[in-house]
Amino acid sequence: MNIVVNEELKAYIEPLTQDEHDALERSILTEGCRDALVLWGDVLVDGHNRYGICQKHGLPFQTVQNPRFQSMEDVHLWMIDQHLGRRSVSDFQRGVLALRKREIMAERKARAAASTEAAEAPPAPDAPEAAAALPAPDPLSSREAIAKAARLSSSQVVMIEKIQKQAAPELVAAVKSGTISINAAAAVATLPAEEQVAAAAAGKDELKQAAKRVRELNKRKPREEAAIEESPADAPADSAPATDELHTLRTRVAELTAENTELRRQVAQLQAALPADSTPF
């Protein structure tokens, strides 16, 4: 049997850790390869680790065709759905897969909208019947739908999106390895890239401290914004943080004004006490 390993498909899903791969190898050596490898023609779609282990030890395996794949996009969607249902997939990876599925479905929807007129045209009388297509996947048109598909909360989906968009590769690697939580990684991802890299290189403790610093800073921001809103309407926006300094200045002005008034009073008394023919000073 000629089985083709497509490297792009092999890398499409996050690979097993070394411990996970070793556990799978022990299981296959003890019980054999119980699950059939899924093929699309000659291309291996599901079971790359099992196939490699069986090849290494000369063990037999079974294969099954999925005749409903019509494109590589169908293959990707099927692979995503398979892994979303597996307990061994981490929360972060499930979120990444669900977001990837949303992108595929959005692209497919855009293509369908662009070719609506062509799709509505009646088929030629001699056109061959198309092969049975895969059932239409869930569109994942909302964040709630993505969260449900990934078995996550909506807030976790938001954080994973932030990590995907803003995190340096080193920080993403730390999340995948479990060195840092999704929540903490989303906080660190808001830092400049060089700070993310430095924190990831320093290890777990420094990543935690970086996340703590970001959270404390975020807690202070609402208080500063409230102070700006409570400042006089005609005051410049950037003067709000200096409210205490402004109060001090106003107090000092009042003190100087009082001192000036007192000096004027004393001068008036001295002038009144002088003889009429004396020269005023």
Side-chain angles (χ1 to χ4, degrees):
M1 178 183 299
N2 180 37
I3 294 181
V4 177
V5 175
N6 183 308
E7 293 301 326
E8 185 269 338
L9 280 182
K10 184 178 180 180
Y12 194 70
I13 303 296
E14 191 71 18
L16 298 178
T17 65
Q18 188 59 51
D19 288 344
E20 291 169 339
H21 188 278
D22 292 345
L24 177 62
E25 186 170 20
R26 289 193 297 270
S27 173
I28 290 176
L29 288 173
T30 302
E31 305 175 14
C33 187
R34 295 179 297 177
D35 298 323
L37 311 182
V38 179
L39 301 178
W40 178 32
D42 293 337
V43 178
L44 180 59
V45 172
D46 186 59
H48 291 88
N49 292 296
R50 284 171 280 143
Y51 177 65
I53 292 169
C54 289
Q55 289 288 93
K56 175 182 175 181
H57 297 283
L59 300 175
F61 55 85
Q62 295 181 330
T63 63
V64 62
Q65 287 283 341
N66 191 325
R68 293 193 288 181
F69 292 145
Q70 296 186 37
S71 66
M72 188 61 75
E73 197 175 70
D74 286 339
V75 173
H76 287 163
L77 288 170
W78 184 88
M79 292 175 71
I80 289 172
D81 285 340
Q82 291 296 305
H83 282 78
L84 283 175
R86 291 177 178 170
R87 290 177 296 176
S88 59
V89 180
S90 70
D91 288 350
F92 178 74
Q93 185 60 19
R94 286 201 309 276
V96 169
L97 291 173
L99 290 168
R100 190 179 294 171
K101 179 177 179 178
R102 180 187 66 179
E103 293 174 3
I104 294 174
M105 295 306 301
E107 291 172 1
R108 178 173 284 190
K109 183 178 179 180
R111 288 198 305 270
S115 60
T116 298
E117 292 184 4
E120 290 177 350
D126 56 348
E129 292 186 6
L134 286 170
D138 294 333
L140 301 186
S141 55
S142 68
R143 185 168 286 121
E144 289 72 20
I146 297 170
K148 183 177 179 181
R151 305 198 305 278
L152 300 171
S153 66
S154 294
S155 61
Q156 285 177 304
V157 172
V158 172
M159 289 186 284
I160 292 172
E161 284 184 291
K162 180 183 289 186
I163 292 168
Q164 283 192 299
K165 292 177 181 178
Q166 300 177 238
E170 293 81 357
L171 179 58
V172 174
V175 183
K176 290 179 177 179
S177 66
T179 303
I180 186 173
S181 68
I182 293 172
N183 189 303
V188 177
T190 62
L191 295 172
E194 59 272 16
E195 293 186 32
Q196 297 181 40
V197 173
K204 186 174 183 178
D205 290 342
E206 179 55 32
L207 283 169
K208 286 184 177 180
Q209 288 301 315
K212 183 179 179 181
R213 289 194 295 272
V214 171
R215 290 178 184 133
E216 289 175 349
L217 178 61
N218 289 338
K219 286 179 181 178
R220 288 200 297 271
K221 284 182 178 178
R223 292 198 293 268
E224 293 174 357
E225 292 172 357
I228 292 174
E229 291 177 359
E230 292 172 2
S231 63
D234 58 345
D238 58 359
S239 69
T243 301
D244 291 341
E245 182 179 354
L246 180 60
H247 176 72
T248 301
L249 289 172
R250 285 174 174 171
T251 302
R252 182 59 178 153
V253 168
E255 291 173 349
L256 291 173
T257 300
E259 290 177 5
N260 188 44
T261 301
E262 177 62 18
L263 287 172
R264 287 177 180 276
R265 186 187 66 79
Q266 292 177 7
V267 168
Q269 287 180 341
L270 288 172
Q271 288 178 334
L274 288 173
D277 57 348
S278 64
T279 304
F281 61 89

